[in-house]
Structures are given as structure tokens and as C-alpha cells.
Amino acid sequence: MGQGAEPRRGQAYDGELGAAVARAQQGDEAAFAVAYRFVQPGLLGYLRGLVGDDAEDVASDAWLEIARDLGRFRGDGAGFRGWTATIARHRALDHLRRQRVRPRPSALEQDLLDLPGPQSTHDQALEAISTEHALELVRGLPRDQAEAVLLRVVVGLDGPAAARVLGKRPGAVRTAAHRGLKRLAGQLGAASVTDEAPRTLGEST
């Protein structure tokens, strides 16, 4: 638990985020804009991993719901990131259902073994996870692994918070994230040798 060196962009600002959310709940529109700027980059990265090019539209729908229900939120900055991720996930799954693209059934039954997660694998993937090419690779992972990686690394949630968003046990989410990061680290290692012309998510379907 004491991995203080592990980079988590969102967590560094959770105090400021919590204060901004509290002011926004009192009707401070400028504070809501501050909260949006803290949360939106990670949320958009998460949604890109789920719905690809439609991420901006799904994020807009999610933010309408977040703004509408803000008065009902109870919690701190970290809690707000988890709450917004849950709303965004519901919107993304609704979007996928409308497109008749069914999420693949997860293989979490096989993932319940609580594997140790070598930090080196995690760090390798963290270095490149925010790039669009890495997000494209994440979208190729099994859905349970992709979501666990996106929530842990891109949104910056801790294990229990990511598990609450997904409705799974923390051990299962930790295992899925480890397996996804391990596969991603291998792909990123291969890509760094062979990939000379980076592609953008906007050009892929």
C-alpha cells in the first residue's frame, strides 16, 4: 500500500478537487469548472478505451448527469473521481448497447487468483498509458482487463474504488489490472522497436 512513488496524476490534486466540488455544490459555477478540469482528462481517457471515437459525446452526456445530480454527491475528491467514473461507465455501456455492440463476457472467474503484481510491469505501462497509441492497445485487451487498467491508471482510482465502479471484488480487479498491464507492457515493448509512424485514435475504427 505504501507505494508513494507510483504516479497517480489525479490523486495529487484530490484535496483541491474535493474543495472545488464542495464549492460547486453551493452553486459556485467557477468551482464546477475547476472540478471539470481536474476530472475530465482521466474520464475522457477511460471513455476512449471503452467507446473509441465516441468518447467526447459520451463524456458530454455523463457531465450533464454529473451536473444534474451534483447535489446528491457525498464524499471527497477521490470519491468524486470514482462517482464520475461510475456515471461515465453507465453512459458508455448504454451507448454500446444502442450500437448493438455487446461487451464481451468477462473471464473474471479465471482471474480470481490473487496474483502478485510486479511493480516493474506496472511502471513500464504507466510510462506510456496516457498516449493515444497505448489507449488503442488497451482497447484490444479483454474488457475486464481494459476497464481495470483504465480505472487504475488513467482515472487514477485505487483498487477498492475501481472495484466499486465495476461492481467486482478488489482482488479480481487487481488481478485483471495486473494481467492487462503485463500484456500491455509486452505490446508497448514490441511497439517501441517497430512503431515508427504513430497513429491516432481518431483515425482508427
Side-chain angles (χ1 to χ4, degrees):
M1 297 295 257
Q3 296 161 354
E6 187 176 299
R8 283 273 186 271
R9 282 170 298 172
Q11 290 178 358
Y13 303 108
D14 277 347
E16 290 175 65
L17 174 58
V21 169
R23 291 197 309 276
Q25 288 180 311
Q26 302 300 317
D28 184 335
E29 290 182 18
F32 185 81
V34 169
Y36 173 89
R37 285 196 298 273
F38 276 128
V39 172
Q40 173 68 352
L43 208 61
L44 196 57
Y46 175 47
L47 289 171
R48 278 199 189 111
L50 295 181
V51 300
D53 295 341
D54 295 326
E56 296 269 4
D57 291 340
V58 174
S60 295
D61 289 344
W63 279 106
L64 287 173
E65 185 174 337
I66 291 162
R68 186 194 70 202
D69 294 343
L70 184 64
R72 285 191 252 168
F73 170 73
R74 295 290 178 268
D76 57 9
F80 185 72
R81 282 189 293 114
W83 183 68
T84 56
T86 300
I87 290 172
R89 182 175 193 264
H90 289 317
R91 288 295 178 195
L93 294 178
D94 286 346
H95 176 81
L96 292 171
R97 278 188 212 102
R98 282 196 301 272
Q99 289 189 322
R100 295 277 190 270
V101 177
R102 297 274 179 211
R104 278 180 290 186
S106 76
L108 277 175
E109 292 80 9
Q110 297 158 0
D111 283 341
L112 289 176
L113 291 172
D114 195 8
L115 298 181
Q119 200 57 34
S120 58
T121 297
H122 200 254
D123 290 342
Q124 276 180 294
L126 278 171
E127 290 304 312
I129 192 72
S130 61
T131 69
E132 290 196 335
H133 180 58
L135 285 172
E136 197 172 346
L137 292 176
V138 170
R139 290 176 63 199
L141 294 173
R143 179 164 295 276
D144 61 313
Q145 294 179 16
E147 286 208 71
V149 168
L150 290 163
L151 287 170
R152 294 296 308 275
V153 180
V154 179
V155 180
L157 299 183
D158 63 18
R164 281 194 296 275
V165 171
L166 296 173
K168 306 291 182 187
R169 290 197 289 270
V173 174
R174 189 163 54 246
T175 298
H178 167 66
R179 290 185 176 179
L181 286 166
K182 186 174 181 181
R183 184 182 300 193
L184 187 62
Q187 290 174 329
L188 289 169
S192 67
V193 176
T194 60
D195 191 20
E196 293 167 11
R199 293 164 298 169
T200 66
L201 273 176
E203 293 166 353
S204 62
T205 309

